[in-house]
Amino acid sequence: ISSIGGLLKNKALWLCIFAIFLGGASECIMAQWSSSYLEKALSIPKVYGDIFGVALFALTLSIGRTLYGKFGKNIEKILLLGSFGATICYVIAAISSIPIIGLIACGLTGLCVSMLWPGTLVVSAKRILTGGVFVYAMMAAGGDLGASFGPQLIGIVTDLITINPHSLQIANNLNISVEQLGMKLSMLIGSLFPLIGTFVFLKIYKTKEK
């Protein structure tokens, strides 16, 4: 019990939990919402959005993890660059009026977020040398919470924007539908997870072991 109490006072543990929460949210928002986003916000037929968008996300996600598994080093730098890259991809997907650009941004997000979740586990293993199963349980909880909270938040925001009486005027001014407005603004909200993650991973990068 005393060792667990000591771990709970460990700032590195909570930093890693927060990081994996943000990484899980950044990955799962795009994984779960890209199909609907490409179809409804970018007006790409579902079959093409799923084939070229969702599948591209899955492909780049697997490529990123495979490449790190074979050649990977300096995980802190990879996490920082990945989170920053994911932020850029989210913003481009949200604001682009060109469907193919939005589709590519959604797909390339997979590469950027590929190591945010597993990579944070690597960092925690390097920096928290005691605690064993408890540390991994806390990390798993953080990742799962982010994977659940992020997509759910996007759904709530989309619904709130869609039913807001002021949204129609804004959508008309932008020459898009209310549903498109809701999804685009929600995608911008989604970009906050990797954006905040960029600063968290920068902190991790600056304090990496010499």
Coordinates of all heavy atoms in Angstrom, one line a residue, residues 103-168:
L103 N -9.6 14.2 -47.1 CA -9.4 12.7 -47.1 C -8.0 12.3 -46.8 O -7.7 11.5 -45.9 CB -9.9 12.1 -48.4 CG -9.9 10.6 -48.5 CD1 -11.0 10.1 -49.5 CD2 -8.6 10.0 -49.0
I104 N -7.1 13.0 -47.5 CA -5.6 12.7 -47.2 C -5.2 13.0 -45.8 O -4.5 12.3 -45.1 CB -4.8 13.4 -48.3 CG1 -5.0 12.9 -49.7 CG2 -3.3 13.3 -47.9 CD1 -4.3 13.7 -50.8
A105 N -5.7 14.2 -45.3 CA -5.4 14.6 -43.9 C -5.9 13.6 -42.9 O -5.2 13.2 -42.0 CB -6.0 16.0 -43.7
C106 N -7.1 13.1 -43.1 CA -7.7 12.0 -42.3 C -6.8 10.8 -42.3 O -6.5 10.2 -41.3 CB -9.1 11.7 -42.7 SG -10.3 13.0 -42.3
G107 N -6.4 10.4 -43.5 CA -5.6 9.2 -43.6 C -4.2 9.3 -43.0 O -3.8 8.4 -42.3
L108 N -3.6 10.4 -43.2 CA -2.2 10.6 -42.7 C -2.2 10.8 -41.2 O -1.2 10.6 -40.5 CB -1.6 11.8 -43.4 CG -1.2 11.6 -44.8 CD1 -0.5 12.9 -45.4 CD2 -0.3 10.4 -45.0
T109 N -3.4 11.1 -40.6 CA -3.4 11.2 -39.1 C -3.0 9.9 -38.5 O -2.4 9.8 -37.4 CB -4.9 11.5 -38.7 OG1 -5.3 12.7 -39.3 CG2 -4.9 11.7 -37.2
G110 N -3.3 8.8 -39.2 CA -3.0 7.4 -38.7 C -1.5 7.3 -38.4 O -1.0 6.7 -37.4
L111 N -0.7 7.8 -39.4 CA 0.8 7.8 -39.2 C 1.2 8.6 -38.0 O 2.1 8.2 -37.2 CB 1.5 8.3 -40.5 CG 3.0 8.3 -40.5 CD1 3.6 6.9 -40.3 CD2 3.5 9.0 -41.7
C112 N 0.6 9.8 -37.9 CA 1.0 10.7 -36.8 C 0.7 10.2 -35.4 O 1.4 10.3 -34.5 CB 0.4 12.1 -37.0 SG 0.9 12.9 -38.5
V113 N -0.5 9.5 -35.3 CA -0.9 9.1 -34.0 C -0.5 7.6 -33.7 O -0.7 7.1 -32.6 CB -2.5 9.1 -33.8 CG1 -3.0 10.5 -34.0 CG2 -3.2 8.1 -34.8
S114 N 0.2 7.0 -34.6 CA 0.5 5.6 -34.5 C 1.2 5.2 -33.2 O 1.0 4.1 -32.7 CB 1.3 5.1 -35.7 OG 2.5 5.8 -35.8
M115 N 2.1 6.1 -32.8 CA 2.9 5.7 -31.6 C 2.5 6.5 -30.3 O 3.1 6.3 -29.2 CB 4.4 6.0 -31.9 CG 5.1 5.1 -32.9 SD 4.9 3.3 -32.4 CE 5.7 3.3 -30.8
L116 N 1.5 7.3 -30.4 CA 1.1 8.1 -29.2 C 0.7 7.2 -28.1 O 1.0 7.5 -26.9 CB 0.0 9.1 -29.6 CG 0.4 10.2 -30.6 CD1 -0.7 11.2 -30.7 CD2 1.7 10.9 -30.3
W117 N -0.1 6.2 -28.3 CA -0.6 5.3 -27.3 C 0.5 4.3 -26.9 O 1.0 4.4 -25.7 CB -1.8 4.6 -27.8 CG -2.6 3.9 -26.7 CD1 -2.2 3.3 -25.5 CD2 -4.0 3.7 -26.7 NE1 -3.2 2.8 -24.8 CE2 -4.4 3.0 -25.5 CE3 -5.1 4.0 -27.6 CZ2 -5.7 2.6 -25.2 CZ3 -6.4 3.6 -27.3 CH2 -6.7 2.9 -26.1
P118 N 1.0 3.5 -27.8 CA 2.1 2.5 -27.3 C 3.4 3.2 -26.9 O 4.1 2.7 -26.1 CB 2.2 1.6 -28.6 CG 1.8 2.4 -29.7 CD 0.7 3.3 -29.2
G119 N 3.7 4.3 -27.6 CA 4.9 5.0 -27.3 C 5.0 5.6 -25.9 O 6.0 5.6 -25.2
T120 N 3.8 6.0 -25.4 CA 3.8 6.5 -24.0 C 4.0 5.4 -23.0 O 4.6 5.6 -21.9 CB 2.4 7.2 -23.7 OG1 2.1 8.1 -24.7 CG2 2.4 7.9 -22.4
L121 N 3.6 4.2 -23.4 CA 3.9 3.0 -22.5 C 5.4 2.8 -22.4 O 6.0 2.4 -21.4 CB 3.2 1.7 -23.1 CG 1.7 1.7 -22.9 CD1 1.1 0.5 -23.6 CD2 1.3 1.6 -21.4
V122 N 6.1 3.0 -23.6 CA 7.5 2.8 -23.6 C 8.2 3.9 -22.7 O 9.1 3.5 -21.9 CB 8.1 3.0 -25.0 CG1 9.6 3.0 -25.0 CG2 7.5 1.9 -26.0
V123 N 7.7 5.1 -22.7 CA 8.2 6.2 -21.9 C 8.0 5.8 -20.4 O 8.9 6.0 -19.6 CB 7.6 7.5 -22.2 CG1 7.9 8.6 -21.2 CG2 8.0 8.0 -23.6
S124 N 6.8 5.4 -20.1 CA 6.5 5.0 -18.7 C 7.4 3.9 -18.2 O 7.8 3.9 -17.0 CB 5.0 4.7 -18.5 OG 4.7 3.4 -19.1
A125 N 7.7 2.9 -19.0 CA 8.6 1.8 -18.6 C 10.0 2.3 -18.4 O 10.7 1.8 -17.5 CB 8.6 0.8 -19.7
K126 N 10.4 3.3 -19.1 CA 11.8 3.9 -19.0 C 11.9 4.7 -17.7 O 12.9 4.8 -17.1 CB 12.1 4.7 -20.2 CG 12.4 3.9 -21.4 CD 12.5 4.8 -22.6 CE 13.6 5.8 -22.5 NZ 13.8 6.7 -23.7
R127 N 10.8 5.4 -17.3 CA 10.9 6.4 -16.3 C 10.4 6.0 -14.9 O 10.7 6.6 -13.9 CB 10.2 7.7 -16.8 CG 10.8 8.2 -18.1 CD 10.4 9.6 -18.3 NE 11.0 10.1 -19.5 CZ 11.1 11.4 -19.9 NH1 10.6 12.3 -19.1 NH2 11.6 11.8 -21.0
I128 N 9.5 5.0 -15.0 CA 8.9 4.6 -13.7 C 9.3 3.1 -13.5 O 8.7 2.2 -14.0 CB 7.3 4.7 -13.7 CG1 6.9 6.1 -14.1 CG2 6.7 4.3 -12.4 CD1 5.5 6.2 -14.5
L129 N 10.4 3.0 -12.8 CA 11.1 1.7 -12.7 C 10.5 0.7 -11.7 O 10.8 -0.4 -11.6 CB 12.5 1.9 -12.5 CG 13.3 2.7 -13.5 CD1 14.7 2.9 -13.1 CD2 13.2 2.1 -14.9
T130 N 9.6 1.3 -10.8 CA 8.9 0.5 -9.8 C 7.4 0.6 -10.0 O 6.9 1.5 -10.6 CB 9.3 0.9 -8.4 OG1 8.9 2.3 -8.2 CG2 10.8 0.8 -8.1
G131 N 6.7 -0.4 -9.5 CA 5.2 -0.3 -9.6 C 4.6 -1.5 -10.4 O 3.5 -1.9 -10.1
G132 N 5.4 -2.0 -11.3 CA 5.0 -3.1 -12.1 C 3.6 -3.0 -12.7 O 3.3 -2.1 -13.4
V133 N 2.8 -4.0 -12.3 CA 1.4 -4.2 -12.9 C 0.6 -2.9 -12.6 O -0.2 -2.5 -13.4 CB 0.7 -5.4 -12.3 CG1 -0.7 -5.5 -12.8 CG2 1.5 -6.7 -12.7
F134 N 0.7 -2.3 -11.4 CA -0.1 -1.2 -11.0 C 0.1 0.0 -12.0 O -0.8 0.6 -12.5 CB 0.3 -0.7 -9.6 CG -0.4 0.6 -9.2 CD1 -1.8 0.5 -8.8 CD2 0.2 1.8 -9.2 CE1 -2.4 1.7 -8.5 CE2 -0.4 3.0 -8.9 CZ -1.7 2.9 -8.5
V135 N 1.4 0.2 -12.4 CA 1.7 1.3 -13.4 C 1.0 1.0 -14.7 O 0.3 1.9 -15.3 CB 3.2 1.5 -13.6 CG1 3.5 2.4 -14.7 CG2 3.8 2.0 -12.3
Y136 N 1.1 -0.2 -15.2 CA 0.5 -0.5 -16.5 C -1.0 -0.5 -16.4 O -1.7 -0.2 -17.4 CB 1.0 -1.9 -17.0 CG 2.4 -1.9 -17.5 CD1 3.5 -2.4 -16.7 CD2 2.7 -1.3 -18.7 CE1 4.8 -2.3 -17.1 CE2 4.0 -1.2 -19.1 CZ 5.0 -1.7 -18.4 OH 6.3 -1.7 -18.8
A137 N -1.6 -0.8 -15.3 CA -3.0 -0.8 -15.1 C -3.5 0.7 -15.2 O -4.5 1.0 -15.8 CB -3.5 -1.4 -13.8
M138 N -2.8 1.6 -14.5 CA -3.1 3.0 -14.6 C -2.9 3.6 -16.0 O -3.8 4.4 -16.4 CB -2.2 3.8 -13.6 CG -2.4 3.5 -12.1 SD -4.0 4.1 -11.6 CE -3.7 5.9 -11.5
M139 N -1.9 3.1 -16.7 CA -1.7 3.6 -18.0 C -2.8 3.1 -19.0 O -3.3 3.8 -19.8 CB -0.3 3.1 -18.5 CG 0.8 3.7 -17.8 SD 1.0 5.5 -18.1 CE 1.5 5.5 -19.8
A140 N -3.2 1.8 -18.8 CA -4.3 1.2 -19.6 C -5.6 2.0 -19.3 O -6.3 2.3 -20.3 CB -4.5 -0.2 -19.2
A141 N -5.8 2.3 -18.1 CA -7.0 3.1 -17.7 C -7.0 4.5 -18.4 O -8.0 4.9 -18.9 CB -7.2 3.2 -16.2
G142 N -5.8 5.1 -18.4 CA -5.7 6.4 -19.0 C -6.0 6.4 -20.5 O -6.7 7.2 -21.1
G143 N -5.4 5.4 -21.2 CA -5.6 5.2 -22.6 C -7.0 4.9 -22.9 O -7.6 5.5 -23.9
D144 N -7.6 4.0 -22.2 CA -9.0 3.6 -22.5 C -10.0 4.8 -22.2 O -11.0 5.0 -22.9 CB -9.4 2.4 -21.6 CG -8.8 1.1 -22.0 OD1 -8.2 1.1 -23.1 OD2 -8.7 0.2 -21.2
L145 N -9.7 5.6 -21.2 CA -10.5 6.7 -20.9 C -10.5 7.7 -22.0 O -11.5 8.3 -22.4 CB -10.1 7.4 -19.6 CG -10.9 8.6 -19.1 CD1 -12.3 8.2 -18.9 CD2 -10.3 9.2 -17.9
G146 N -9.3 8.0 -22.5 CA -9.1 8.9 -23.7 C -9.8 8.4 -24.9 O -10.5 9.1 -25.6
A147 N -9.7 7.0 -25.2 CA -10.3 6.4 -26.3 C -11.8 6.5 -26.2 O -12.5 6.5 -27.3 CB -9.9 5.0 -26.4
S148 N -12.4 6.5 -25.0 CA -13.8 6.6 -24.8 C -14.3 8.1 -24.8 O -15.3 8.4 -25.5 CB -14.2 5.9 -23.5 OG -15.6 6.1 -23.2
F149 N -13.6 8.9 -24.0 CA -14.0 10.3 -23.8 C -14.0 11.1 -25.1 O -14.9 11.9 -25.4 CB -13.2 10.9 -22.7 CG -13.5 12.4 -22.5 CD1 -14.6 12.7 -21.7 CD2 -12.7 13.3 -23.0 CE1 -14.9 14.1 -21.5 CE2 -13.0 14.7 -22.8 CZ -14.1 15.0 -22.1
G150 N -12.9 11.0 -25.9 CA -12.7 11.8 -27.1 C -13.8 11.6 -28.1 O -14.4 12.6 -28.4
P151 N -14.0 10.4 -28.6 CA -15.1 10.2 -29.6 C -16.5 10.6 -29.0 O -17.3 11.2 -29.8 CB -15.0 8.7 -29.9 CG -13.6 8.4 -29.6 CD -13.2 9.2 -28.4
Q152 N -16.7 10.4 -27.8 CA -18.0 10.7 -27.2 C -18.2 12.2 -27.1 O -19.3 12.7 -27.4 CB -18.2 10.1 -25.8 CG -19.6 10.3 -25.2 CD -19.7 9.6 -23.8 OE1 -18.8 9.1 -23.3 NE2 -20.9 9.6 -23.3
L153 N -17.1 12.9 -26.8 CA -17.2 14.4 -26.8 C -17.5 14.9 -28.2 O -18.3 15.9 -28.3 CB -15.9 15.0 -26.3 CG -15.8 16.5 -26.3 CD1 -16.8 17.1 -25.3 CD2 -14.3 16.9 -25.9
I154 N -16.9 14.4 -29.2 CA -17.1 14.8 -30.6 C -18.6 14.7 -30.9 O -19.2 15.5 -31.5 CB -16.2 14.1 -31.5 CG1 -14.8 14.3 -31.2 CG2 -16.6 14.4 -33.0 CD1 -14.4 15.8 -31.2
G155 N -19.2 13.5 -30.5 CA -20.6 13.3 -30.8 C -21.5 14.3 -30.1 O -22.5 14.8 -30.7
I156 N -21.2 14.6 -28.8 CA -22.0 15.5 -28.1 C -21.9 16.9 -28.7 O -22.9 17.6 -28.9 CB -21.5 15.6 -26.6 CG1 -21.8 14.2 -25.9 CG2 -22.2 16.7 -25.9 CD1 -21.2 14.1 -24.5
V157 N -20.7 17.4 -29.0 CA -20.5 18.7 -29.6 C -21.2 18.8 -31.0 O -21.9 19.8 -31.3 CB -19.0 19.0 -29.8 CG1 -18.8 20.3 -30.6 CG2 -18.3 19.1 -28.4
T158 N -21.1 17.8 -31.8 CA -21.8 17.8 -33.1 C -23.3 17.9 -32.9 O -23.9 18.8 -33.6 CB -21.5 16.5 -33.8 OG1 -20.1 16.3 -34.0 CG2 -22.2 16.5 -35.2
D159 N -23.9 17.2 -32.0 CA -25.3 17.3 -31.7 C -25.7 18.7 -31.2 O -26.7 19.3 -31.6 CB -25.7 16.2 -30.7 CG -25.7 14.8 -31.3 OD1 -25.7 14.7 -32.5 OD2 -25.7 13.9 -30.5
L160 N -24.9 19.2 -30.3 CA -25.2 20.6 -29.7 C -25.2 21.6 -30.8 O -26.0 22.5 -30.8 CB -24.2 20.9 -28.6 CG -24.4 20.1 -27.3 CD1 -23.3 20.4 -26.3 CD2 -25.8 20.3 -26.7
I161 N -24.2 21.6 -31.7 CA -24.0 22.6 -32.7 C -25.2 22.4 -33.7 O -25.8 23.4 -34.2 CB -22.7 22.4 -33.4 CG1 -21.6 22.8 -32.5 CG2 -22.6 23.4 -34.7 CD1 -20.2 22.6 -33.0
T162 N -25.5 21.2 -34.0 CA -26.6 20.9 -35.0 C -27.9 21.5 -34.6 O -28.7 22.0 -35.4 CB -26.7 19.4 -35.3 OG1 -25.4 18.9 -35.8 CG2 -27.7 19.2 -36.4
I163 N -28.2 21.4 -33.3 CA -29.6 21.8 -32.8 C -29.6 23.3 -32.3 O -30.6 23.8 -32.0 CB -30.0 20.9 -31.7 CG1 -29.1 21.1 -30.4 CG2 -30.1 19.5 -32.1 CD1 -29.6 20.3 -29.2
N164 N -28.4 23.9 -32.4 CA -28.3 25.3 -31.9 C -29.0 26.2 -33.0 O -28.7 26.1 -34.2 CB -26.9 25.7 -31.8 CG -26.7 27.1 -31.1 OD1 -27.2 28.1 -31.6 ND2 -26.0 27.1 -30.0
P165 N -29.9 27.1 -32.6 CA -30.7 27.9 -33.5 C -29.8 28.9 -34.3 O -30.2 29.3 -35.4 CB -31.7 28.6 -32.6 CG -31.1 28.6 -31.3 CD -30.4 27.3 -31.2
H166 N -28.7 29.2 -33.8 CA -27.8 30.2 -34.4 C -26.9 29.5 -35.5 O -26.3 30.2 -36.3 CB -26.9 30.9 -33.4 CG -27.6 31.6 -32.4 ND1 -28.4 32.8 -32.7 CD2 -27.8 31.4 -31.0 CE1 -28.9 33.2 -31.5 NE2 -28.6 32.4 -30.5
S167 N -26.9 28.2 -35.5 CA -26.0 27.4 -36.4 C -26.4 27.6 -37.8 O -25.6 27.6 -38.7 CB -25.9 26.0 -36.0 OG -25.4 25.8 -34.7
L168 N -27.7 27.7 -38.1 CA -28.2 27.8 -39.4 C -27.7 29.0 -40.2 O -27.3 28.9 -41.3 CB -29.8 27.8 -39.4 CG -30.4 27.8 -40.8 CD1 -30.0 26.6 -41.7 CD2 -31.9 27.9 -40.7

